[in-house]
Amino acid sequence: MSLTFQQAISRLENFWGEHGCLIWQPYSEKVGAGTANPATVLRVLGPEPWNVAYVEPSFRAADGRYGENPNRMQLFYQYQVILKPDPGNPQELYLESLEALGLSRREHDIRFVEDNWEAPALGAWGLGWEVWCDGQEITQFTYFQQAGGFSLDPVSVEMTYGLERLMIPIQGVRSVWDISWDGVHTYGEILRPSEVEYCKYNFDHADVERLKRMYDLFEAEAKDLIAAGLVIPAHDYVLRCSHTFNLLDARGAVGVTERAHYFARMRDLARDVSVAYVAQREEMGHPWFKSVRGSRIENSEVAETAEPVKGPAAFLLEIGTEELPAADLDTALEQLRVAVPQLLDELRLARDPVRVLGTPRRLAVLVGKVAPHQADVEVEVKGPPAKAAFRDGRPTRAAEGFARKQGVAVSDLQVRKMDGGEYVVALKVEPGRPAGEVLAGRLADLVAGIRFNRSMRWNESGVSFSRPIRWLVALLGERVVPFGYAGLSSGRVTHGLRPLGSPEIDIQRAGDYLRLMADNQVIVHPAERQARIVEQINDLAAEVGGTIPHDPALLAEVTNLVECPTALRGAFEGTYLQLPRDVLVTVMRKHQRYFPIVDGNGRLLPYFVAVRNGDDFYLDQVRHGNEEVLRARFADAAFFYEADTGKPLEDYLPRLDTLTFQEKLGSVGDKVRRLEELIHPVSDMLGLSPQEVATTVRAAHLAKADLVTQMVVELTDLQGIMGEHYALGSGEPPAVARAVREHYLPRFAGDALAQTAPGVAVGLADRLDSLVGLFAVGLKPSGTADPFGLRRAALGVVQTLMGRQIRFDLCAGLRAAAELLSVPVTEEALSDALDFIIGRLRVVLREAGHRYDVVDAVLAERGHDPYLAVQTVTDLGAWVTRDDWMDLLNAYARCVRIVRDQPQIYELAPSAFAEDATRALHAAYERVVAQVGPESSPTELFTTFQPIIPTINCFFDDVLVMAEDRTLRENRLALLQRIAALTAGIAELQVLEGF
Amino acid sequence: MSLTFQQAISRLENFWGEHGCLIWQPYSEKVGAGTANPATVLRVLGPEPWNVAYVEPSFRAADGRYGENPNRMQLFYQYQVILKPDPGNPQELYLESLEALGLSRREHDIRFVEDNWEAPALGAWGLGWEVWCDGQEITQFTYFQQAGGFSLDPVSVEMTYGLERLMIPIQGVRSVWDISWDGVHTYGEILRPSEVEYCKYNFDHADVERLKRMYDLFEAEAKDLIAAGLVIPAHDYVLRCSHTFNLLDARGAVGVTERAHYFARMRDLARDVSVAYVAQREEMGHPWFKSVRGSRIENSEVAETAEPVKGPAAFLLEIGTEELPAADLDTALEQLRVAVPQLLDELRLARDPVRVLGTPRRLAVLVGKVAPHQADVEVEVKGPPAKAAFRDGRPTRAAEGFARKQGVAVSDLQVRKMDGGEYVVALKVEPGRPAGEVLAGRLADLVAGIRFNRSMRWNESGVSFSRPIRWLVALLGERVVPFGYAGLSSGRVTHGLRPLGSPEIDIQRAGDYLRLMADNQVIVHPAERQARIVEQINDLAAEVGGTIPHDPALLAEVTNLVECPTALRGAFEGTYLQLPRDVLVTVMRKHQRYFPIVDGNGRLLPYFVAVRNGDDFYLDQVRHGNEEVLRARFADAAFFYEADTGKPLEDYLPRLDTLTFQEKLGSVGDKVRRLEELIHPVSDMLGLSPQEVATTVRAAHLAKADLVTQMVVELTDLQGIMGEHYALGSGEPPAVARAVREHYLPRFAGDALAQTAPGVAVGLADRLDSLVGLFAVGLKPSGTADPFGLRRAALGVVQTLMGRQIRFDLCAGLRAAAELLSVPVTEEALSDALDFIIGRLRVVLREAGHRYDVVDAVLAERGHDPYLAVQTVTDLGAWVTRDDWMDLLNAYARCVRIVRDQPQIYELAPSAFAEDATRALHAAYERVVAQVGPESSPTELFTTFQPIIPTINCFFDDVLVMAEDRTLRENRLALLQRIAALTAGIAELQVLEGF
């Protein structure tokens, strides 16, 4: 008889109560998570210890599914545990708590999957994992790094169980609604009616105006209470703000900028409450230090000294960690591959090649043989000046004293020129120290030197790492290389697979490592794991007549998620194949890390392959669990799809008026109306055919409609993709549908580009509108802040024009966009926007390997037309590497240098030229200017210009340009000015090297 | 090691989970009690079974004490249990749950003390008890009768544990703040800082305007949701309304009428939510009937038939109940004393005297001997007409057939005159049926016939009683008298004392009852219990040199609260004696049912006497508990006193402006300002001296100030009493202080009257203002509704004027009051108000035994002056019983009758009288009218009038009043009209009997 819901809660209360937690109660306000309960969000602040556990009914308005999804709903029950400080073994405690519920790590695939948690409204973030049970997320496990804007010290461990999802495998039911609550009633009987009601309220009935007024009242009250120092009453109102915001959001009443404003307001409140709480506890003198339980972190100073080994011996360093994120594992191995050989060489330790291995739970360095001692080294010790050391060729007392002190014979002293004089030096051989000793002194730094994109603290040592380090193995042959780090001392004990209970494994000799790991089913070599995965998943696909599409990113990730991969194939109902392929694949890949299977025609089959950590024990149960999870995910997608296709795509347009694009620029609906105008000049500039224009106009009309469909609200990545799908479903022409999708392209570096003219046109118009609009209202990106993704937009413009080899005048485009805005656009804003795009183009061109000066020269004249610019850069780039380039440049430069400081452009009077040289030059100029212009390529320019170089040089040799006679002088300058201007519109040669 | 707070909760969860309850969680809104959680307030509606238990943190803003009271705070933790339907033994289950917590009923005094629960804002009420442990309320135990305006069927049993108060005896701590929560932290460490903050918020910082706006928004949202049928989201907003109201109330921002409005609004919302919930469950088809557990109530039909007894035998009826309220026990015993003899007589059962006994848990009827059979009875059966039965003196066939049918000899037939003819009759002796049989047929009705002021249902039988009946004993000698009632069948098993576990006691013979009860320490005779109590409490008082003040009401109540009284003396800290005596006594008597002890001078001693149910086992522990409870109560009183005396009484006056008296009549502050005016004419009418007037004016100014002191807000009974106390403390003259107190007198029937003229004056003015004001705005009492206590006010006026023998013209008084009102007062309203007061006077006079016609006669003329009226009634009452009264009345009546239909008053022309008799009558009249007037007493009138009776009679004998001659006629009528008018202003004799 499995546990009822209420018995499971009782077990957790008992478990954590017995493990030193204070058992707390759900909060008296609606919260989105147990984290918001002051027992977490405030108690994690400050230095006092705090261990607490409690149930928290959690409301997330937007997650409601009218009670129709098997495991997703707007109210669910969390079980929240906070351990502060880190007890050293929180994952083990957690897994024991699951055993107490009857969820065995041996019989289920229980995994710690990277999850970086952030709650902007609470000013909080942390690193940790989602814990998966057979593919189902059952817990969030986080090391809090920050809360209320405070850096936390000590760090708190937070475990948030999703009780309903936990019950599904425990009771073996297919849906949360079928969970037995008390042996009599199901969860659904108790909560489904209200779930449906709340969904109706959240999505359909909540009165937006009233909620906004409530929000303002709550906020005002919170502020007063913060000012009065009343922490908890203030916090209550902050929670009310937060819940009210969630309702507004679910109701679709919050635009992008408005959302940012709300978040800022909530973050400010949360920070102020935190500050008040911290001050209060300080004032109270932190009374809870008295109640510290459990062990404090031991001092990581190591008393032991390394015992020397006799001969060459294998070296092993294993850093045992809690599950590393896939990317962090890669980056750590990469760094070790460089750092370890460097270190050993620096230490003068002769060695075999270094092998760097790793799994999510260990980073290992293995060297077949390392010399027992450092190589000896000869050192030169500087003694007294030679004059003082030798008098008449005989050593003085000074020399004798120095030799004695250095332990060398006087006769071995040598004289060297150094430091501007001659000195006596003693040459000494410093013998190498034992390998263990020198390694012991450097391993801590080696570990500390590994850097991650984001790292975290977890215990009193204050050390940062990707995830907590829980053991350190360092062996030289049979000997421990003693060092301390992160509160740990190195030893010889490692741990086996999680599903086997992470058994302790005693490593007698470093050389035993690979065998012991293999014996314990831990596949430490990433390549080997990947190979096994490839083989297994392909076999499983083949069994159903399918293949696994090539997906190196997913494969690499999965390889880094397991220590012992066992692939399994699950099935899903064929009816879900009616959903768009992108939806299914996105759900499988991104949410579940499953490999889809396709048939010979590339069509999806109703199967997936998951890779479990561990062997095939209870594999059917694991498969079943994964299938259930995917079913729920697909059900969710189907729910959205069903809802979304209930009306044609065009009918979503009115909702765009409620979605704020930017406060001053209006709604997304306003943006769409601008696009529909802007598309005409843009189409003209792109030279579209009338039919293409018609397609473009329609596509612009529908481009943003999918933003308010539920699928896209839920899976933002599918914007455009769903738009295309829904457009087709609504009977739009395929070209329109395609343009709807394409206008978002490219979405990221390396993404495909829009292939159709309408797709290009809408995408350009959209981005131009955003750029000029946001620059106009003063929202250009600054520092790393780019909330509207303008860098991406500018890059998209550049990449599309370059990639599709399209000429386009961005200047004109921006100006056309500006004319449609309802806000004033200054010339400065326009030129800033253009410069911003050109800045992206500059980066692209430089990264493509073009010389910076060439890029700058071209962009100065042609940045507004990226495709033209890239052609010009290539062309100019070829010229500047020619042997005769400097002649050309110098000739041109002579013309430019003499005129560039002139205050005005002078009138040219060819008939007034006095000398032949001048006349000749003018004639040459006339020939050139007849053949080139601002549109010319560098090659056109230079091939025309090259012949006149001698003429130029003659001119300067013969003629004193700066004549006393003003008329003469100005007429000569006028000619040179015109020659200098020949490059206008092509490239600014003055910025080239050598000018 | 006693349980920690969290362990105790865990025990309760386990206990109730194992007893079939669904374990639920605290609610996500701030509630005042677990009742408000939809798991109670909605689930108790409708027919489906529902058993649930949960913790509920409960917020009662006004109960906050800034964390300074040992057991009172604005947040406390309830443990809520709902059993629906009644399982039949809920008290036993409850007591077992206490044992599970280590609270033994043997070692503590655990009592069920009447408590009628009502939540107007929820449209809910129920009957039950507070459960006391050693004097401390630890639980509310209620049988829900109504919720959301619905009558509940089935009834739910609600148990609400006050977890903190429960922990005090469990952990043996002195204050909730010292409770160990988890073995490490105290309750105070966890919750005291936020308690202090909430108090500051609730009392000082909450923004009234914002809260009112929140309330309106919540209400509007709730209404919309109700309209949309969204039950739970609507309920959430109702809860928010309720909490917001509580905050406004604690903040002192809600006046009396405003409060009534808020309550009405909340009640409406609650009702509408309930209606929607009930409809929803009906629509779902009540799915939870499937989950019925436990036994349904058995059919109360009894198959057993009574076995006859051989000879006279004792009769015992015992109705075993859950604890009856003290007053209900009295009323039930009273009814049985009448009903049982009546029943036995009606059943013709010869018997010894009936003894009626009782305790809170049993109503018992014991008859020493009852005849085994009814007395035989002779009956006459009517046969055929005598003519048809006998022909020629010989019986016909008809007679023979009749005799045969009746089983008598034909010769025994007799002839009787009946029904207007002669018939044959058969005389038959109907033998008495066995006593057991006839009793069996009537006992259910006997029990059902007992009526209570308020009664309740508890199980499917639908039967109503004061509290549930749990067993029935009915024995005639050794035999059970079988009957069924309330789902029970009568038997021979009763139960012993609660502290002993209510052991089953088998009664072999009815005659054993008293012995068995005595053996089991149950003292079934109320008088005996009372005698024991008196002896014990006096002894305990004497031990400390004191006495117990005479207090028959308290004594009677305590007698009815125990089955086995053991008195104990507790002490309290002498410092509390500095509080006003009335405060201490009120707390002891009303809250705790303790007897105070006074010394020889009537001064309180720092002791009290409590009476425990049970023997002296663990008496010290019980005493300690009671002392702790009283300490907390006194601490609370001291808290108020301290707060109240922080400023002079006068400084409270401004707050009266925020306390609404009645919407149209303004605030209590307005009322006070009217009193200060009205007191002048009233003082004039009462003939006060200038010094008295000065005192009166000041007293009127301060009369209501104490209404906004905390002590009076908390203990309303102390209004006036605290006013006097605080006035003295503020340096007011003693006469002023006294008048402040006295103006409320008399507060109830039999209460003391104001003894000082200023006290009388302020009291009169206050009541006149209320009466005329509320009548003016249309709020006169109707039916039983009298929200402003106008009956009491009118009675107070009457009793004061009568008791203090003060002449006062209410007509003038009301008119003076009316002139000060800001609302228009119609003549009708004024006369209605006067009639209303006269109505009370009429009741008083009739209840005093005066003849109704005399009362009516006097009130018709002198009702506006109660003291004059009462004198007049007494006087007239004496006259109407005199032998010569009718002569007097008749003489007067002759005059009246002939003139009463005349359309006008005629002019009297004495010189025009034609006859001697008329002239003589006129002369007689002249003599009378010279000596009496409207102010005369009946005696003055009648002694003057009596001599002219012969003259009157002569006149009517001699003179035809209604002469043809109009002048003559009208002159005679004019004279008679004046004679008839002699009683004007004295009494309206026409309404007297015999007129």
Side-chain angles (χ1 to χ4, degrees), chain A residues 598-709:
Chain A
V598 295
D599 68 11
N601 299 316
R603 283 187 303 239
L604 281 183
L605 291 172
Y607 299 102
F608 64 93
V609 176
V611 178
R612 172 219 190 139
N613 185 39
D615 57 20
D616 60 0
F617 195 66
Y618 273 79
L619 194 63
D620 283 342
Q621 175 160 303
V622 174
R623 179 199 334 281
H624 175 74
N626 278 281
E627 286 175 344
E628 290 293 295
V629 175
L630 190 62
R631 188 173 65 86
R633 292 264 190 207
F634 282 174
D636 215 18
F639 171 89
F640 297 138
Y641 190 73
E642 185 101 0
D644 289 344
T645 52
K647 58 183 183 184
L649 187 58
E650 183 154 21
D651 287 6
Y652 286 91
L653 289 172
R655 274 279 288 134
L656 293 177
D657 290 331
T658 69
L659 191 66
T660 305
F661 168 59
Q662 195 281 331
E663 215 169 3
K664 294 178 184 158
L665 301 174
S667 68
V668 175
D670 293 329
K671 188 186 217 302
V672 167
R673 282 183 285 276
R674 289 196 300 271
L675 285 192
E676 291 178 289
E677 294 286 320
L678 183 55
I679 210 65
H680 293 290
V682 167
S683 295
D684 282 353
M685 290 164 69
L686 293 171
L688 267 51
S689 69
Q691 194 179 341
E692 284 173 335
V693 170
T695 299
T696 302
V697 167
R698 183 68 183 164
H701 186 58
L702 298 172
K704 302 298 181 187
D706 70 347
L707 289 181
V708 286
T709 63

Side-chain angles (χ1 to χ4, degrees), chain A residues 6 197-198 221 236 280, chain B residues 23 197-198 210 236 280:
Chain A
Q6 69 192 34
E197 291 181 344
Y198 276 121
E221 199 74 351
D236 287 352
Q280 188 180 70
Chain B
I23 303 302
E197 290 181 345
Y198 276 121
R210 279 189 210 125
D236 287 352
Q280 186 179 74

Side-chain angles (χ1 to χ4, degrees), chain B residues 208-425:
Chain B
V208 171
E209 269 321 298
R210 279 189 210 125
L211 288 177
K212 287 186 173 176
R213 284 159 62 198
M214 285 182 207
Y215 185 98
D216 292 343
L217 289 168
F218 296 156
E219 185 187 49
E221 198 74 349
K223 283 183 176 168
D224 280 3
L225 293 175
I226 289 165
L230 303 182
V231 178
I232 298 295
H235 182 67
D236 287 352
Y237 278 107
V238 177
L239 293 178
R240 288 191 174 190
C241 285
S242 176
H243 182 63
T244 307
F245 167 80
N246 288 344
L247 289 175
L248 283 167
D249 200 24
R251 194 81 173 76
V254 185
V256 176
T257 324
E258 221 179 345
R259 160 186 252 88
H261 282 178
Y262 272 116
F263 271 109
R265 289 161 75 182
M266 291 189 282
R267 191 172 48 243
D268 287 350
L269 291 175
R271 188 198 53 233
D272 292 346
V273 168
S274 299
V275 168
Y277 176 77
V278 166
Q280 186 179 74
R281 296 305 295 181
E282 259 170 30
E283 199 174 312
M284 290 168 70
H286 296 137
W288 291 349
F289 274 122
K290 76 164 168 66
S291 66
V292 177
R293 279 171 293 184
S295 58
R296 307 286 286 175
I297 295 299
E298 285 162 29
N299 194 322
S300 62
E301 294 293 314
V302 180
E304 203 182 347
T305 55
E307 290 183 62
V309 290
K310 298 279 154 60
F315 170 66
L316 168 68
L317 172 68
E318 188 189 57
I319 305 165
T321 63
E322 298 184 350
E323 277 76 355
L324 299 172
D328 284 356
L329 173 54
D330 283 339
T331 192
L333 296 180
E334 202 53 58
Q335 291 173 68
L336 287 172
R337 280 186 201 106
V338 175
V340 175
Q342 268 183 357
L343 174 66
L344 295 175
D345 291 348
E346 191 188 324
L347 291 177
R348 307 191 316 275
L349 291 169
R351 57 173 174 85
D352 284 351
V354 172
R355 299 174 70 180
V356 173
L357 310 165
T359 75
R361 292 188 73 203
R362 64 200 82 229
L363 301 169
V365 173
L366 191 59
V367 188
K369 281 208 169 51
V370 172
H373 289 83
Q374 292 178 297
D376 295 345
V377 68
E378 193 173 68
V379 294
E380 224 176 47
V381 185
K382 182 181 170 189
K387 282 191 279 190
F390 292 97
R391 202 153 292 155
D392 312 327
R394 298 189 54 187
T396 62
R397 276 178 174 264
E400 283 165 1
F402 173 67
R404 192 165 52 247
K405 190 170 163 207
Q406 296 303 323
V408 299
V410 175
S411 57
D412 289 342
L413 292 177
Q414 300 189 11
V415 173
R416 292 275 160 83
K417 281 198 182 171
M418 59 200 308
D419 300 340
E422 287 197 327
Y423 292 88
V424 165
V425 296

